[in-house]
Amino acid sequence: MNKTTTFLVEESNSNLRLDKYLASKLKILTRSQIKKVILSKNVSINKHPVSSPAQKIKCGDSIEIFIKEERVEHIKPEKINLNIVYEDKEIIVINKPSGMVVHPGAGNKEGTLVNGLLYLCKKNLSNLNGMYRPGIVHRIDKETSGLLVVAKNNFSHANLAKQFSNHTIKRKYLALIWGVIRPLNGKITTLLSRSKKNRQLMSVSERSGKKAITNYKTISVFSGKEIPKISLVECVLETGRTHQIRVHLSHKGNGLVGDKKYGKKKLGFKKINKKFEKILLNFQRQALHAKSLGFIHPRKNDLVNFDSKLPQDFKKMLDFLEKFAN
């Protein structure tokens, strides 16, 4: 059911930003969700529609916000064998396999993490991200494996979302990349925006987009007569933009092994070890794994850290390469 809510600004809230004011009044919506409502011109001040989240309000202003309920199809709970690393009344930490989509969308109505969560938790999941994304605080790509934290209620969701917004969540990824990144350790800071050539892809932009920061460290370099030069790199995210690690490493000229969108289109090696070639051909995704996750527990207020084992396909490739470590 669509709903219009009206607020009368008091003296104590005069000169606040519009989005900040509404965030304090509407606990069911995140700041980013409120921003989208404002940008879609569904907020008015004194009967005049506004479209700037940064607009300042003043005492006596009458603010109306129109919230349109999403029309969604029923999401089917499915019995899926989820790898649960940790669970309590507030959160669940899942080690997601590669190939699993996080939430339903176009072309992916079944077999997603959300389908499995609905079977496991019934209705005990947050709804701040809408009916298609119950419990989902953040995402990782379909073909990326690794750790995700899921919120069981809106309190925990809002708390975790704030930690993500403040960039205080500790996320470490392991990646296998082509070649050797220079310098061996460093920080990549760019703007990321939708690619003008393909709107499904992201690209580094000189002028527009969201700031993205990736810290990286080279752990090992592998090379041999019949082995292309490959490096094992640890990436620590300061921000969490769409495809961030994949785009940043590709931008440096060191795309992820197996990345069909941002990596090498053709391997083009004249002579390659047959066993390794078979491993490469059977590796049907980008070599990226969300290895560890650390944050302040939303209810206990303690720092919690979680770690995950490498999935079998990633481990198999790495075990072979270890014989060629420099």
Side-chain angles (χ1 to χ4, degrees), residues 30 122 177 261:
T30 64
K122 307 299 186 283
I177 61 171
K261 292 183 177 179

Side-chain angles (χ1 to χ4, degrees), residues 23 27-31 33 88 90-91 126-129 135-138 149-170 294-304:
K27 302 297 185 183
I28 61 167
L29 296 179
T30 64
R31 184 108 170 241
Q33 287 173 324
D88 61 22
E90 305 294 324
I91 60 172
S126 71
N127 61 10
L128 289 185
N129 253 345
I136 302 303
V137 183
H138 65 123
V149 60
V150 174
K152 285 189 171 182
N153 54 64
N154 289 354
F155 173 86
S156 292
H157 190 134
N159 184 289
L160 289 166
K162 187 174 182 181
Q163 292 185 58
F164 274 102
S165 178
N166 292 337
H167 310 311
T168 57
I169 300 274
K170 304 298 181 185
F295 52 87
I296 302 296
H297 191 284
R299 191 73 69 173
K300 298 176 183 177
N301 211 33
D302 294 330
L303 177 63
V304 290

Side-chain angles (χ1 to χ4, degrees), residues 72-85:
V72 296
E73 300 170 20
H74 175 68
I75 304 172
K76 181 184 176 183
E78 293 180 57
K79 189 175 182 180
I80 298 172
N81 186 22
L82 299 177
N83 185 352
I84 300 170
V85 176

Side-chain angles (χ1 to χ4, degrees), residues 55-307:
Q55 181 161 330
K56 297 295 178 68
I57 60 175
K58 60 182 185 294
C59 180
D61 280 345
S62 175
I63 299 174
E64 288 187 355
I65 178 169
F66 175 71
I67 301 172
K68 188 175 183 180
E69 189 178 79
E70 297 176 76
R71 291 184 64 186
V72 296
E73 300 170 20
H74 175 68
I75 304 172
K76 181 184 176 183
E78 293 180 57
K79 189 175 182 180
I80 298 172
N81 186 22
L82 299 177
N83 185 352
I84 300 170
V85 176
Y86 174 84
E87 182 178 8
D88 61 22
K89 292 181 179 179
E90 305 294 324
I91 60 172
I92 311 175
V93 177
I94 303 283
N95 187 13
K96 185 188 83 70
S98 65
M100 177 181 278
V101 175
V102 172
H103 60 76
N108 293 294
K109 302 295 183 185
E110 299 177 355
T112 73
L113 177 61
V114 161
N115 293 105
L117 287 170
L118 286 173
Y119 181 89
L120 179 70
C121 303
K122 307 299 186 283
K123 294 182 179 180
N124 297 318
L125 293 166
S126 71
N127 61 10
L128 289 185
N129 253 345
M131 294 180 69
Y132 264 138
R133 304 178 187 184
I136 302 303
V137 183
H138 65 123
R139 294 174 290 173
I140 55 178
D141 296 339
K142 176 183 177 181
E143 301 303 342
T144 298
S145 55
L147 297 177
L148 280 166
V149 60
V150 174
K152 285 189 171 182
N153 54 64
N154 289 354
F155 173 86
S156 292
H157 190 134
N159 184 289
L160 289 166
K162 187 174 182 181
Q163 292 185 58
F164 274 102
S165 178
N166 292 337
H167 310 311
T168 57
I169 300 274
K170 304 298 181 185
R171 287 172 287 173
K172 288 185 180 179
Y173 288 72
L174 285 181
L176 285 169
I177 61 171
W178 295 113
V180 181
I181 193 168
R182 301 294 182 186
L184 292 175
N185 308 318
K187 176 184 284 193
I188 307 169
T189 304
T190 70
L191 296 176
L192 291 187
S193 61
R194 290 284 171 187
S195 169
K196 292 179 180 178
K197 295 179 181 179
N198 184 343
R199 300 297 293 173
Q200 292 184 330
L201 301 182
M202 304 300 291
S203 65
V204 168
S205 174
E206 296 287 333
R207 298 179 182 178
S208 62
K210 294 181 179 180
K211 189 175 183 180
I213 304 171
T214 304
N215 297 282
Y216 68 89
K217 177 174 70 175
T218 300
I219 298 173
S220 300
V221 176
F222 314 105
S223 64
K225 289 183 179 180
E226 296 183 355
I227 297 295
K229 195 165 283 187
I230 291 173
S231 299
L232 176 66
V233 175
E234 178 187 89
C235 294
V236 178
L237 293 181
E238 284 191 35
T239 58
R241 310 304 180 196
T242 303
H243 301 172
Q244 180 175 314
I245 293 174
R246 298 166 66 189
V247 178
H248 270 172
L249 293 175
S250 179
H251 178 66
K252 291 283 285 185
N254 303 98
L256 289 166
V257 171
D259 194 336
K260 297 177 178 63
K261 292 183 177 179
Y262 299 102
K264 291 186 177 184
K265 301 301 179 187
K266 294 182 180 179
L267 297 180
F269 304 121
K270 293 181 180 179
K271 193 174 183 181
I272 187 170
N273 179 284
K274 293 298 181 184
K275 187 175 180 180
F276 185 63
E277 184 179 33
K278 186 176 179 180
I279 292 173
L280 274 177
L281 291 172
N282 289 330
F283 195 81
Q284 296 296 313
R285 53 119 166 185
Q286 63 263 9
L288 186 63
H289 177 70
K291 183 78 168 58
S292 65
L293 184 64
F295 52 87
I296 302 296
H297 191 284
R299 191 73 69 173
K300 298 176 183 177
N301 211 33
D302 294 330
L303 177 63
V304 290
N305 288 286
F306 303 97
D307 196 68

